Structures are given as C-alpha cells and as structure tokens.
Amino acid sequence: MRLDKYLADMGIGTRSEVKQYIRKRLVTVNGALPTGAQQKVEPGHDQILYRGEPVSYVQYEYFMLNKPGGCVSAVTDRDCRTVLDLIAKKNRKDLFPVGRLDKDTEGLLLITNDGMLSHNLLAPGKHIPKTYFARVSGEVTEEDVALFAEGIDIGEKKDTLPAELKILSCEEGISQIELTIMEGKFHQVKRMFAAVGKEVIYLKRISMGALKLDDTLAPGEYRPLREEEIELLKGIY
Ligand code: URA
C-alpha cells in the first residue's frame, strides 16, 4: 500500500495534506524518512510515525451506537446531525451505518466500514431478526399478536413475514411491547401498528441478529464492538 493512502485511510489528513506532511519530513517509516508519498508500506509490519507518534493501521472498525432521537442514519446531511457525527474516536473515514433507523427512533445501530458484513446483515434473503421495544398508543391485543404472527398487509406487494409480538404492559391507554421482525421495510414497525389502527409513539431497537444493545450506553453514546461480538455477527451467515 502507498504511504499516502495508509496515512489518509487512518485519518491523518486528505491525500494532498498527507503528501505535504511527508514533504515536510513529519513522517518516518521504520525510523527513516520515506522516499516519497508513493513509497510502499506493509500494514502491520512497517512502523509509521507521524510527528513522532505511531500510526497503526486499522482495516475495519465496528462501533455499537445507541442512536438518539433527532439525528439521521446517514454519513452526511446538509441540515441535520448524523449518526457519524456522534462517533468522535474513529480511525477510518469510510464508516457508515448498517441500515437505517428513522430520525425519531433510538437504539442499536452498527457503524462500520465492513461492506461484506453490512451486506450480509441487510440482504433481504438472510432474514436477520431485529427486535424493537415500542410504546404504542391504544391497547395492543392478543388479536394483534396473532395477526403479526401470520403476517399483515402494510401496502407492499407481499404481507409482512411472521413477526413475534410480545405485550409487556398496558397502562392508561399506552401499551409497551417488544416486536421481532425478520425484514427491514421502510417504517416497518410503525406501518405494522398503523395497519391494526395503532400509533407507535416511541421506538427503540434493542437487538439485530446476535448483537444486543449494551444497556449501559445512554442515547448518543457508543463503544467499539468486542471481538466476540464481531465474531457472533459474522457467524450468522
Ligand atoms: N421500523 C420503523 O418504523 N422505524 C424504524 O426506525 C425501524 C423500524
């Protein structure tokens, strides 16, 4: 890999900025000044220093974010804060959210630059389960449980796949539920409840495949995935 790409990938600067740093002798490779920006380096083997500080190469990064309401599941947005704006301590510049949560939805969002893992988690044929906690206005009933288990019409070509609805409580006209769906249609949870005449007033994703939201993360907080969590996620395909 070229030295300038190595440094740019690790967020030291843009490709042209890192070329300048190399020219200004701010970068060393194995203790020596490099021959130029195009010098080949081997990640994990060569020791690269920028301003005397080691720059180790990270190929993939994985973060679990507890998405807060009010930010969008995008990399950039002209008007609104994005989930990527919340990830301050990142090495890679090519991170993206795996799938989308609505602007007002909270909870588990995986942020990575691993395109293969993302594809495998989102591919429609894989039916990766996603579990949501929701507060719903109105009384969610056993009839709704049965309808969701059969699959319902939300205005798509096909009915939804069977989904598991658990009623947790119902007080003062507000039901608390958990719903596990095996697909990820646009606004799916809200549309499923709308189809039975109810409105989702709060929605939070609590798991995706084998990955569970760390309940010590407050909305807006994130942490790197643990090695075993990455393995678990990769193990499902
Ligand atoms: N279903 C929804 O309606 N919204 C989300 O953000 C996720 C699932």
Side-chain angles (χ1 to χ4, degrees):
M1 171 182 297
R2 284 175 59 122
L3 176 60
D4 54 353
K5 177 167 164 46
Y6 181 109
L7 292 165
D9 277 358
M10 289 307 97
I12 298 300
T14 63
R15 210 61 180 252
S16 59
E17 283 167 349
V18 301
K19 281 180 182 156
Q20 283 185 30
Y21 302 155
I22 294 166
R23 254 184 260 120
K24 288 184 180 164
R25 304 170 156 234
L26 297 175
V27 178
T28 58
V29 178
N30 301 327
L33 287 172
T35 52
Q38 76 295 336
Q39 179 172 330
K40 290 281 190 280
V41 291
E42 202 182 312
H45 180 259
D46 291 319
Q47 201 201 26
I48 321 290
L49 303 188
Y50 168 61
R51 294 181 188 270
E53 295 293 327
V55 181
S56 46
Y57 197 79
V58 180
Q59 187 168 19
Y60 292 117
E61 284 192 292
Y62 305 88
F63 296 102
M64 171 190 297
L65 169 70
N66 184 356
K67 179 191 171 298
C71 75
V72 292
S73 301
V75 175
T76 55
D77 191 272
R78 265 184 355 154
D79 308 313
C80 196
R81 191 167 59 138
T82 74
V83 289
L84 260 299
D85 294 333
L86 298 170
I87 312 290
K89 289 188 189 150
K90 51 186 176 253
N91 290 297
R92 302 281 323 189
K93 284 190 163 168
D94 50 359
L95 297 171
F96 57 86
V98 175
R100 281 169 187 273
L101 293 175
D102 297 339
K103 189 169 171 185
D104 60 353
T105 301
E106 295 186 358
L108 176 64
L109 194 62
L110 174 63
I111 312 272
T112 184
N113 61 324
D114 185 339
M116 180 66 94
L117 178 65
S118 170
H119 171 79
N120 282 303
L121 288 170
L122 298 178
K126 303 272 181 185
H127 303 313
I128 302 299
K130 288 163 280 272
T131 300
Y132 294 85
F133 166 83
R135 277 194 276 277
V136 177
S137 73
E139 189 189 347
V140 176
T141 61
E142 289 305 326
E143 198 188 335
D144 298 328
V145 173
L147 287 169
F148 281 19
E150 265 172 37
I152 54 167
D153 182 0
I154 57 167
E156 298 276 331
K157 271 190 211 140
K158 289 184 181 170
D159 286 357
T160 55
L161 289 175
E164 189 185 353
L165 175 58
K166 282 190 201 152
I167 302 167
L168 304 177
S169 66
C170 182
E171 276 169 39
E172 294 170 9
I174 306 288
S175 304
Q176 304 208 97
I177 63 92
E178 264 179 35
L179 177 64
T180 302
I181 56 176
M182 309 300 268
E183 51 202 333
K185 301 221 159 60
F186 186 60
H187 295 329
Q188 179 159 344
V189 175
K190 292 173 185 165
R191 287 162 72 198
M192 287 174 76
F193 279 101
V196 292
K198 282 155 200 142
E199 189 191 357
V200 172
I201 52 176
Y202 172 80
L203 186 59
K204 175 181 182 179
R205 182 156 63 193
I206 53 177
S207 72
M208 180 177 192
L211 189 63
K212 295 199 178 4
L213 178 64
D214 181 336
D215 57 17
T216 66
L217 295 174
E221 290 185 344
Y222 67 93
R223 66 160 171 81
L225 284 196
R226 302 190 182 103
E227 208 48 56
E228 65 270 18
E229 289 171 325
I230 300 170
E231 293 307 317
L232 266 175
L233 273 179
K234 289 187 173 174
I236 58 184
Y237 56 85

